[in-house]
Amino acid sequence: MAAVSLGRAVGAATAGLSISLISCFLLYRARSKLHPWKKTREGKRRRGLVEAIGNTPLIRINSLSDATGCEILGKAEFLNPGGSVKDRVAVKIIEEAIESGELVEGGIVTEGSAGSTAISLATVAPAFGCTCHVVIPDDAAIEKSQILEALGAVVERVRPVSITHKDHFVNVAKRRAIEANKAKNDATVEVSGHVSHNGQSDEGSGIKSRGGYFADQFENLANYRAHYEWTGPEIWNQTKGNIHAFVAAAGTGGTIAGVSRFLKEKNKSIKCFLIDPPGSGLFNKVTRGVMYTKEEAEGKRLKNPFDTITEGIGINRVTKNFMMAELDGAYRGTDQEAVEMSRFLLRNDGLFIGSSSAMNCVGAVKVARALGPGHTIVTILCDSGMRHLSKFFNNQYLAEHGLTPSATGLEFLS
């Protein structure tokens, strides 16, 4: 009888253990669907689009390294499926929204973006069963809105105005999410004033919705967390901790904030710097604690909050994401330097990079010259030149703005 009781007890314990293990496995499977990038490893087959994001190579930029005596390394984010560093942000924003219940399958993700974040959201959203509505300033490179429409996103082009204006592209995107939430349960959401890339109004366009979620890349700290939890650790591992400085420009501030904070936590001696384009106030904020630009101090007001040929970087306000950055200083970059750098890298390294990537490389050389030979400096190659053909790589456009490249070496850097 004792043996039977013991057998029953052992059987019950075994069954209980099996149930617990199965429950843990199912819970892991459910959570792993939301965080597939956390378990990706190089050399392993990747399941689906989301797992293909990240683990981008860190490449030595030979021409700049040889010229400065430093190891200048670029994180090749243009190799992400959506073509830019913003793929990471798109995944993190959507994952956190789904986990919080603010976004459900069939919902609409809305965003106000100058291009790259919008393209990444439009690329990633379908992998989570969602759609995308993008509001974009009408002076952004036309190919960006064309890509968005090809990806199936609803695209709304609006005139550039101050962020304080109700019709700033970010504020319009926020309103679109509110409208979508008012029309839940598979009702059709009408997009008021939708304008396609060819300038034709399409008042009757609409998409089915199960509610909307405003991605809010500027203030949503999921942006910062994507780089603190993901990009920063990759850089640290790829350099094996042998890194002396990191430099990048800022738009939303998520990349420079997440990477700088992670690297500083690993090694306080790592120097982190901002490179800031013309018209942006961040250089003054970092170096003097005051947010203003020379142009505004002279009583001028540009048609945009910042006036530069570069896209996606530069801003005249401090975002929640940028507030998380830990910086040791800042450098200024010019449009001419960015244009010349892009052509220099194309000629000497075969790197066809976009305007923000070129500005980052300008910053890398300035940091290298300040620190001296023998240092390892990392920057971000945000996207390729394919999204910048109508402006940054358009010879006529550059000539009209006095930016025709002419340098043969790095003599263009001040």
Side-chain angles (χ1 to χ4, degrees), residues 34 93-104 213 220:
L34 281 179
I93 285 175
I94 292 176
E95 281 186 347
E96 290 194 5
I98 290 173
E99 287 185 330
S100 69
E102 294 177 89
L103 177 66
V104 298
Y213 176 76
N220 188 339

Side-chain angles (χ1 to χ4, degrees), residues 101-108 129 131 180-181 183-187 189 207-213:
E102 294 177 89
L103 177 66
V104 298
E105 186 174 348
I108 300 173
T131 56
N181 281 324
K184 284 183 181 179
N185 302 318
D186 298 324
V189 178
I207 51 181
K208 296 288 185 178
S209 169
R210 290 190 61 203
Y213 176 76

Side-chain angles (χ1 to χ4, degrees), residues 57-76 239 242-247 341 344-345 349 351 357-381 410 413:
L58 188 64
I59 61 176
R60 182 181 191 265
I61 304 178
N62 291 329
S63 64
L64 303 184
S65 298
D66 294 343
T68 60
C70 289
E71 288 294 290
I72 295 183
L73 310 177
K75 191 89 165 97
T239 59
N242 181 26
I243 172 175
H244 300 99
F246 173 76
V247 58
M341 178 61 77
F344 178 86
L345 293 176
D349 299 87
L351 286 172
S357 302
M359 187 64 79
N360 283 348
C361 290
V362 167
V365 173
K366 293 189 177 195
V367 171
R369 289 177 173 178
L371 297 182
H375 294 88
T376 297
I377 298 154
V378 174
T379 192
I380 303 291
L381 304 181
L410 291 174
L413 287 172

Side-chain angles (χ1 to χ4, degrees), residues 83-360:
S84 84
V85 66
K86 296 296 188 177
D87 281 13
R88 299 175 186 265
V89 178
V91 168
K92 189 66 173 168
I93 285 175
I94 292 176
E95 281 186 347
E96 290 194 5
I98 290 173
E99 287 185 330
S100 69
E102 294 177 89
L103 177 66
V104 298
E105 186 174 348
I108 300 173
V109 181
T110 74
E111 183 58 295
S113 168
S116 287
T117 300
I119 291 171
S120 292
L121 285 168
T123 301
V124 169
F128 292 92
C130 300
T131 56
C132 195
H133 181 128
V134 177
V135 185
I136 189 170
D138 63 13
D139 64 344
I142 192 65
E143 54 268 31
K144 291 185 178 181
S145 60
Q146 291 171 328
I147 292 169
L148 284 164
E149 290 183 335
L151 289 169
V154 170
V155 181
E156 206 175 337
R157 291 173 66 86
V158 299
R159 64 187 180 88
V161 292
S162 167
I163 185 66
T164 59
H165 195 287
K166 67 181 181 66
D167 290 330
H168 184 275
F169 61 94
V170 171
N171 297 329
V172 174
K174 185 175 183 178
R175 286 205 302 274
R176 297 296 175 251
I178 294 172
E179 291 168 3
N181 281 324
K182 289 179 178 178
K184 284 183 181 179
N185 302 318
D186 298 324
T188 298
V189 178
E190 292 297 333
V191 181
S192 55
H194 168 232
V195 179
S196 66
H197 66 81
N198 61 11
Q200 297 298 311
S201 178
D202 185 9
E203 296 290 347
S205 64
I207 51 181
K208 296 288 185 178
S209 169
R210 290 190 61 203
Y213 176 76
F214 175 45
D216 197 13
Q217 60 166 327
F218 287 90
E219 307 300 334
N220 188 339
L221 288 177
N223 183 345
Y224 151 79
R225 286 189 286 271
H227 300 293
Y228 176 80
E229 298 174 7
W230 199 355
T231 318
E234 283 183 21
I235 290 172
W236 178 259
N237 292 332
Q238 287 171 321
T239 59
K240 296 181 171 58
N242 181 26
I243 172 175
H244 300 99
F246 173 76
V247 58
T252 65
T255 304
I256 197 169
V259 173
S260 66
R261 184 169 285 264
F262 178 85
L263 293 178
K264 288 280 192 182
E265 287 181 5
K266 284 293 186 180
N267 184 348
K268 277 289 183 185
S269 68
I270 296 173
K271 302 296 183 183
C272 296
F273 299 98
L274 169 79
I275 177 73
D276 211 28
S280 174
L282 293 180
F283 172 86
N284 288 311
K285 183 63 178 177
V286 172
T287 59
R288 302 172 189 172
V290 179
M291 176 66 79
Y292 69 91
T293 67
K294 179 182 177 183
E295 293 84 357
E296 288 173 327
E298 293 172 348
K300 298 177 182 178
R301 186 62 187 173
L302 307 173
K303 68 168 185 173
N304 292 318
F306 44 88
D307 191 12
T308 174
I309 193 174
T310 61
E311 294 187 4
I313 55 175
I315 195 170
N316 274 326
R317 70 182 192 275
V318 177
T319 66
K320 289 181 181 177
N321 283 289
F322 188 79
M323 288 173 65
M324 302 300 292
E326 293 192 13
L327 301 177
D328 296 283
Y331 294 86
R332 288 189 187 276
T334 69
D335 281 351
Q336 191 69 52
E337 288 173 332
V339 170
E340 295 282 10
M341 178 61 77
S342 67
R343 274 54 172 189
F344 178 86
L345 293 176
L346 188 56
R347 287 194 307 270
N348 293 279
D349 299 87
L351 286 172
F352 183 46
I353 58 173
S355 57
S356 56
S357 302
M359 187 64 79
N360 283 348

